[in-house]
Structures are given as C-alpha cells and as structure tokens.
Amino acid sequence: MPESKVVVFVKAPILGKVKTRLAKSIGDKAALEAYKELTLTVLGRIKKLTKVDLCFTPDDSINEVIPWAQENWTTTPQGPGNLGERMCKVFDNATEPTLLIGSDCPYLKEKDLIEAGHALEKNDLVLGPSKDGGYWMIGMKTPTPSLFKEINWGSGTVYESTVLCAKEQGLRIWEGRMLGDIDYADDWFQFKAKTVSLMITMSMSMTLL
C-alpha cells in the first residue's frame, strides 16, 4: 500500500508562544525547552516516513522550522484562522489520503501511522484518541468540513463531538491507540520520568551484553 501523507502541525520555537499551559507551572523558558524536546521526539519517531509535511505557524517562521525537516520532507505555513479552520484547510488541499498529527504526543510510534494509513483503505475517518478527551491524530481520504465546525477546541469533549458528527454523516470510523499528550506539568514530569526509566533500562541491558 502507498504510504499516506503525514502532516505535522508545529509551532516555531519562540519564547512565550509555545506550551503556554505548561508554562504557567514551569515558566516560559522551561516550557520552550520542553516543547523543543517533545517536537524532536515526535519527529524522530517518524523520520523514516518519506511523505511528511511540517505545517508551521507563524507563517513567517520558516527559518526556525526548516532545521526540523528531513531532506525529503516539505514545509507549509498553516495560514490564518482558528485551529479548526487551519486543520480543515489541510484536508481541503489534500490530493491523497492524509493523516494530521500535532507535536505534543511523544508516545506515538511510526507503526501507529502506518496502521492508520492502512485503515484509510476501508474507512472514511481515522482517529487517535487522547486521554484528555481530544485526539492526537485525525485522517481522511476526502474532506469533511463539518468535523471542524462547532468544536470546543481545547476542551475534554473534542473527540466525543467529532465522533458524533462523523456518525451523523454516516462515516466509517477507525480508532487507533489511546495515547497521552503533554499539556500540563503533571504530563511533562510523567513523560520525563518514563524517559529516565527507559534510559536506565537500556543502560542496564547494554551492561549485561
């Protein structure tokens, strides 16, 4: 099966403009460093995929974003509008089955996107639910603008509202793994604890070889 296109929504790493909810607990500078780490983690998980577009904001921040792109990836400004409008535009402009993800779900794996791409062969909509009630991934073959209207973005009802709307449209839905994203201090510290634990485990395994 041909590889589905993957669009990654990213923000330029600008102090005070990223992970603002996290910054309320750990400060702007630490939140910026956290955002960089999360973004590099997500992009590192999908670096072997070839059809990837980094869709960035602000639109004049290409110089800050281009270092994140692999050689064969593309970069596109998100353009104006609220989150739903910008997401909708991705699918309006798509010419092939497309998956859209953010840069704050470090638990995703390449195989999650490959499985979702396969699922698009038989389904109209693929979703990756997140533990906070949103979704970390959405994918479609054809645009469905209604999925991005009257959604309370940032709330705990995004996933539920999207699924309800999709069912009303008669769409066939496939659901991926439920994963956690990083919005608040507890999320961040939990992620860092898991990262340290993994590094210790890997170090012990190497020692035993």
Side-chain angles (χ1 to χ4, degrees):
M1 170 192 162
E3 182 182 305
S4 294
K5 182 177 181 180
V6 176
V7 175
V8 188
F9 263 22
V10 296
K11 291 183 178 180
I14 300 172
L15 185 67
K17 300 296 184 180
V18 296
K19 308 309 296 180
T20 53
R21 286 179 288 185
L22 178 60
K24 291 178 181 178
S25 298
I26 67 175
D28 287 342
K29 186 174 181 180
L32 175 59
E33 293 306 311
Y35 177 73
K36 291 178 181 178
E37 182 174 342
L38 290 170
T39 301
L40 290 174
T41 298
V42 170
L43 298 183
R45 297 282 170 83
I46 64 171
K47 65 181 180 181
K48 293 182 181 179
L49 301 180
T50 58
K51 297 168 68 173
V52 175
D53 180 61
L54 298 187
C55 195
F56 61 90
T57 188
D59 289 358
D60 60 355
S61 59
I62 180 63
N63 291 334
E64 289 83 0
V65 173
I66 198 67
W68 287 339
Q70 298 291 322
E71 184 177 356
N72 54 348
W73 292 4
T74 57
T75 53
T76 305
Q78 292 181 21
N82 62 35
L83 178 60
E85 291 169 339
R86 286 178 279 130
M87 293 173 70
C88 186
K89 185 168 64 176
V90 167
F91 294 102
D92 285 342
N93 295 335
T95 58
E96 59 188 310
T98 298
L99 305 172
L100 173 62
I101 64 173
S103 58
D104 57 358
C105 181
Y107 304 111
L108 71 83
K109 297 181 180 180
E110 179 186 283
K111 69 177 183 179
D112 290 312
L113 301 182
I114 293 175
E115 289 175 357
H118 279 283
L120 273 180
E121 286 190 302
K122 298 181 179 180
N123 296 275
D124 304 303
L125 173 69
V126 298
L127 289 169
S130 58
K131 294 180 179 179
D132 63 1
Y135 54 76
W136 59 266
M137 173 192 68
I138 182 170
M140 286 181 279
K141 288 182 290 190
T142 56
T144 308
S146 59
L147 297 181
F148 304 100
K149 295 179 180 179
E150 299 182 6
I151 300 293
N152 186 10
W153 303 106
S155 74
T157 63
V158 171
Y159 184 81
E160 179 183 359
S161 299
T162 303
V163 169
L164 179 61
C165 181
K167 289 181 177 179
E168 290 175 347
Q169 298 290 320
L171 302 182
R172 292 168 296 180
I173 307 169
W174 178 88
E175 182 180 277
R177 291 195 299 148
M178 178 175 286
L179 300 174
D181 51 19
I182 311 298
D183 288 320
Y184 299 101
D186 287 347
D187 305 324
W188 172 242
F189 294 136
Q190 185 178 47
F191 167 67
K192 292 300 290 181
K194 289 182 178 180
T195 302
V196 171
S197 177
L198 178 61
M199 292 178 63
I200 292 174
T201 301
M202 292 177 62
S203 177
M204 291 177 64
S205 298
M206 292 295 293
T207 302
L208 293 173
L209 292 179

Coordinates of all heavy atoms in Angstrom, one line a residue, residues 18-65:
V18 N 4.8 29.0 23.0 CA 4.6 27.5 22.9 C 4.3 27.0 24.3 O 4.8 27.5 25.3 CB 5.8 26.8 22.3 CG1 6.0 27.2 20.8 CG2 7.0 27.0 23.1
K19 N 3.5 25.9 24.4 CA 3.1 25.2 25.6 C 2.8 26.2 26.7 O 3.3 26.2 27.8 CB 4.3 24.3 26.0 CG 4.8 23.3 25.0 CD 3.7 22.5 24.4 CE 3.0 21.6 25.3 NZ 1.9 20.8 24.6
T20 N 1.9 27.1 26.4 CA 1.5 28.1 27.4 C 0.9 27.6 28.6 O 1.1 28.2 29.7 CB 0.6 29.2 26.7 OG1 -0.5 28.5 26.1 CG2 1.4 29.9 25.6
R21 N 0.1 26.5 28.5 CA -0.5 26.0 29.7 C 0.6 25.3 30.6 O 0.5 25.5 31.9 CB -1.6 24.9 29.4 CG -2.8 25.6 28.8 CD -3.9 24.5 28.4 NE -3.5 23.8 27.2 CZ -4.3 22.9 26.6 NH1 -5.5 22.6 27.1 NH2 -3.9 22.4 25.5
L22 N 1.6 24.7 30.0 CA 2.7 24.1 30.8 C 3.5 25.2 31.4 O 4.0 25.1 32.5 CB 3.5 23.3 29.8 CG 4.8 22.6 30.4 CD1 4.4 21.7 31.6 CD2 5.5 21.8 29.3
A23 N 3.7 26.3 30.6 CA 4.5 27.4 31.1 C 4.0 28.1 32.4 O 4.7 28.6 33.2 CB 4.6 28.5 30.0
K24 N 2.7 28.0 32.6 CA 2.1 28.5 33.9 C 2.7 27.8 35.1 O 2.7 28.4 36.2 CB 0.6 28.4 33.8 CG -0.1 29.3 32.8 CD -1.6 29.1 32.8 CE -2.3 29.9 31.8 NZ -3.7 29.7 31.7
S25 N 3.2 26.6 34.9 CA 3.7 25.9 36.1 C 5.2 25.9 36.1 O 5.8 25.9 37.2 CB 3.2 24.4 36.0 OG 1.8 24.3 36.1
I26 N 5.9 25.8 34.9 CA 7.3 25.7 34.9 C 8.1 26.9 34.3 O 9.3 26.9 34.3 CB 7.8 24.4 34.2 CG1 7.4 24.5 32.7 CG2 7.1 23.2 34.8 CD1 7.9 23.3 31.9
G27 N 7.3 27.9 33.8 CA 7.9 29.1 33.3 C 8.1 29.0 31.8 O 8.2 27.9 31.2
D28 N 8.2 30.1 31.1 CA 8.3 30.2 29.7 C 9.5 29.5 29.1 O 9.5 28.8 28.1 CB 8.3 31.7 29.2 CG 6.9 32.3 29.3 OD1 5.9 31.5 29.4 OD2 6.8 33.5 29.3
K29 N 10.7 29.8 29.8 CA 11.9 29.2 29.2 C 11.9 27.7 29.3 O 12.3 27.0 28.3 CB 13.1 29.8 30.0 CG 14.5 29.4 29.5 CD 15.6 30.1 30.2 CE 17.0 29.7 29.6 NZ 18.1 30.4 30.3
A30 N 11.5 27.1 30.5 CA 11.5 25.7 30.6 C 10.4 25.1 29.7 O 10.6 24.0 29.1 CB 11.2 25.3 32.0
A31 N 9.3 25.8 29.5 CA 8.3 25.3 28.6 C 8.8 25.3 27.1 O 8.4 24.4 26.3 CB 7.0 26.2 28.7
L32 N 9.6 26.3 26.8 CA 10.2 26.3 25.4 C 11.1 25.1 25.2 O 11.0 24.4 24.2 CB 10.9 27.6 25.2 CG 11.7 27.7 23.9 CD1 10.8 27.6 22.7 CD2 12.5 29.0 23.8
E33 N 11.9 24.8 26.2 CA 12.8 23.7 26.1 C 12.1 22.4 26.0 O 12.4 21.4 25.3 CB 13.8 23.6 27.2 CG 14.8 24.8 27.2 CD 15.6 24.9 25.9 OE1 16.1 23.9 25.4 OE2 15.6 26.0 25.3
A34 N 11.0 22.3 26.8 CA 10.1 21.1 26.8 C 9.5 20.9 25.4 O 9.4 19.8 24.9 CB 9.0 21.2 27.9
Y35 N 9.0 22.0 24.8 CA 8.4 22.0 23.5 C 9.4 21.5 22.5 O 9.1 20.6 21.6 CB 7.9 23.3 23.1 CG 7.3 23.3 21.7 CD1 6.1 22.7 21.5 CD2 8.0 23.9 20.7 CE1 5.5 22.7 20.2 CE2 7.5 23.9 19.4 CZ 6.3 23.2 19.1 OH 5.7 23.2 17.9
K36 N 10.6 22.0 22.5 CA 11.6 21.5 21.6 C 11.9 20.0 21.7 O 12.0 19.3 20.7 CB 12.9 22.3 21.8 CG 12.9 23.7 21.4 CD 14.2 24.4 21.7 CE 14.2 25.9 21.4 NZ 15.5 26.5 21.8
E37 N 12.0 19.5 23.0 CA 12.2 18.1 23.2 C 11.1 17.3 22.7 O 11.3 16.2 22.1 CB 12.5 17.9 24.7 CG 12.8 16.4 25.0 CD 13.1 16.2 26.4 OE1 13.5 17.1 27.1 OE2 13.1 15.0 26.9
L38 N 9.8 17.7 23.0 CA 8.7 17.0 22.5 C 8.6 16.9 21.0 O 8.3 15.8 20.4 CB 7.4 17.6 23.1 CG 7.2 17.5 24.6 CD1 6.0 18.4 25.0 CD2 6.9 16.0 24.9
T39 N 8.8 18.0 20.4 CA 8.8 18.1 18.9 C 9.8 17.2 18.3 O 9.6 16.4 17.3 CB 9.0 19.5 18.4 OG1 7.9 20.3 18.9 CG2 8.9 19.6 16.9
L40 N 11.1 17.2 18.8 CA 12.1 16.4 18.3 C 11.8 14.9 18.5 O 12.2 14.1 17.7 CB 13.5 16.8 18.9 CG 14.0 18.1 18.4 CD1 15.3 18.5 19.2 CD2 14.3 18.1 16.9
T41 N 11.2 14.6 19.6 CA 10.8 13.2 19.9 C 9.8 12.7 18.9 O 10.0 11.6 18.3 CB 10.2 13.1 21.3 OG1 11.2 13.5 22.3 CG2 9.8 11.7 21.6
V42 N 8.8 13.5 18.7 CA 7.7 13.1 17.7 C 8.3 13.0 16.3 O 8.1 11.9 15.6 CB 6.6 14.1 17.7 CG1 5.6 13.9 16.5 CG2 5.8 14.1 19.0
L43 N 9.1 13.9 15.9 CA 9.7 13.9 14.5 C 10.7 12.7 14.4 O 10.8 12.2 13.3 CB 10.3 15.2 14.2 CG 9.3 16.4 14.2 CD1 10.1 17.7 13.7 CD2 8.2 16.2 13.3
G44 N 11.4 12.4 15.5 CA 12.3 11.3 15.5 C 11.6 10.0 15.3 O 12.1 9.1 14.7
R45 N 10.4 9.9 15.8 CA 9.6 8.7 15.7 C 9.2 8.4 14.3 O 8.9 7.3 13.9 CB 8.4 8.7 16.6 CG 8.7 8.8 18.1 CD 9.1 7.5 18.7 NE 9.6 7.6 20.0 CZ 8.9 7.6 21.1 NH1 7.6 7.6 21.0 NH2 9.4 7.7 22.3
I46 N 9.0 9.5 13.5 CA 8.5 9.3 12.1 C 9.6 9.7 11.0 O 9.2 9.8 9.9 CB 7.3 10.2 11.9 CG1 7.6 11.7 12.0 CG2 6.2 9.8 12.9 CD1 6.4 12.6 11.6
K47 N 10.8 9.7 11.4 CA 11.8 10.2 10.5 C 12.0 9.3 9.3 O 12.6 9.8 8.3 CB 13.2 10.4 11.2 CG 13.8 9.1 11.8 CD 15.1 9.4 12.5 CE 15.7 8.2 13.1 NZ 17.0 8.5 13.8
K48 N 11.6 8.1 9.4 CA 11.8 7.1 8.2 C 10.7 7.3 7.2 O 10.8 6.8 6.1 CB 11.9 5.7 8.7 CG 13.1 5.4 9.5 CD 13.1 3.9 10.0 CE 14.4 3.6 10.8 NZ 14.4 2.2 11.2
L49 N 9.6 8.0 7.6 CA 8.5 8.2 6.6 C 8.9 9.3 5.6 O 9.6 10.2 6.0 CB 7.2 8.6 7.4 CG 6.7 7.7 8.4 CD1 5.4 8.2 9.1 CD2 6.4 6.3 7.8
T50 N 8.5 9.1 4.4 CA 9.0 10.0 3.4 C 8.0 11.1 3.0 O 8.4 12.2 2.6 CB 9.3 9.2 2.1 OG1 8.2 8.5 1.7 CG2 10.5 8.2 2.4
K51 N 6.7 10.8 3.2 CA 5.7 11.8 2.7 C 5.2 12.6 4.0 O 4.1 12.4 4.4 CB 4.6 11.1 2.0 CG 5.0 10.4 0.7 CD 4.0 9.4 0.2 CE 2.8 10.2 -0.3 NZ 1.8 9.3 -1.0
V52 N 6.1 13.5 4.4 CA 5.8 14.2 5.6 C 5.9 15.7 5.3 O 6.8 16.2 4.6 CB 6.8 13.9 6.8 CG1 6.5 14.8 8.0 CG2 6.6 12.4 7.2
D53 N 4.9 16.5 5.8 CA 4.9 17.9 5.6 C 4.8 18.6 7.0 O 3.9 18.3 7.8 CB 3.7 18.4 4.8 CG 3.7 19.9 4.6 OD1 4.6 20.4 4.0 OD2 2.7 20.5 5.0
L54 N 5.8 19.4 7.3 CA 5.7 20.2 8.5 C 4.9 21.5 8.3 O 5.3 22.3 7.5 CB 7.1 20.6 9.0 CG 8.1 19.4 9.3 CD1 9.4 20.0 9.9 CD2 7.4 18.4 10.3
C55 N 3.7 21.5 8.9 CA 2.8 22.6 8.6 C 2.9 23.6 9.8 O 2.5 23.3 10.9 CB 1.4 22.1 8.5 SG 0.2 23.2 7.8
F56 N 3.5 24.8 9.6 CA 4.0 25.6 10.7 C 3.3 26.9 10.9 O 2.6 27.4 10.0 CB 5.5 25.8 10.5 CG 5.8 26.6 9.3 CD1 5.9 28.0 9.3 CD2 6.1 25.9 8.1 CE1 6.2 28.7 8.1 CE2 6.5 26.6 6.9 CZ 6.5 28.0 6.9
T57 N 3.4 27.4 12.1 CA 2.9 28.7 12.4 C 3.9 29.4 13.4 O 4.5 28.6 14.2 CB 1.5 28.6 13.0 OG1 0.9 29.9 13.2 CG2 1.5 27.9 14.4
P58 N 4.1 30.7 13.4 CA 3.5 31.7 12.4 C 4.0 31.5 11.0 O 5.0 30.8 10.8 CB 4.0 33.0 13.0 CG 4.5 32.7 14.4 CD 4.9 31.3 14.4
D59 N 3.3 32.1 10.1 CA 3.7 31.8 8.7 C 5.0 32.3 8.2 O 5.6 31.9 7.2 CB 2.6 32.5 7.8 CG 1.3 31.7 7.9 OD1 1.2 30.7 8.6 OD2 0.3 32.2 7.2
D60 N 5.6 33.3 9.0 CA 6.9 33.8 8.6 C 8.1 33.2 9.4 O 9.2 33.7 9.5 CB 6.9 35.3 8.9 CG 6.7 35.7 10.3 OD1 6.4 34.8 11.2 OD2 6.8 36.9 10.7
S61 N 7.8 32.0 9.9 CA 8.8 31.3 10.8 C 9.5 30.2 10.1 O 10.0 29.3 10.8 CB 8.2 30.9 12.1 OG 7.2 29.9 11.9
I62 N 9.6 30.2 8.8 CA 10.2 29.1 8.1 C 11.7 28.8 8.5 O 12.1 27.6 8.6 CB 10.2 29.3 6.6 CG1 10.8 28.1 5.8 CG2 10.9 30.6 6.2 CD1 10.1 26.8 6.0
N63 N 12.4 29.9 8.8 CA 13.8 29.7 9.2 C 14.0 28.9 10.5 O 14.9 28.2 10.8 CB 14.5 31.0 9.3 CG 14.7 31.7 8.0 OD1 14.8 31.0 6.9 ND2 14.8 33.0 7.9
E64 N 13.0 29.1 11.4 CA 13.0 28.4 12.7 C 12.6 26.9 12.6 O 13.0 26.1 13.4 CB 12.1 29.1 13.7 CG 12.6 30.4 14.2 CD 12.3 31.6 13.3 OE1 11.7 31.3 12.2 OE2 12.7 32.7 13.6
V65 N 11.8 26.6 11.6 CA 11.2 25.3 11.4 C 12.0 24.4 10.5 O 12.1 23.2 10.7 CB 9.7 25.4 10.9 CG1 9.1 24.1 10.6 CG2 8.9 26.1 12.0

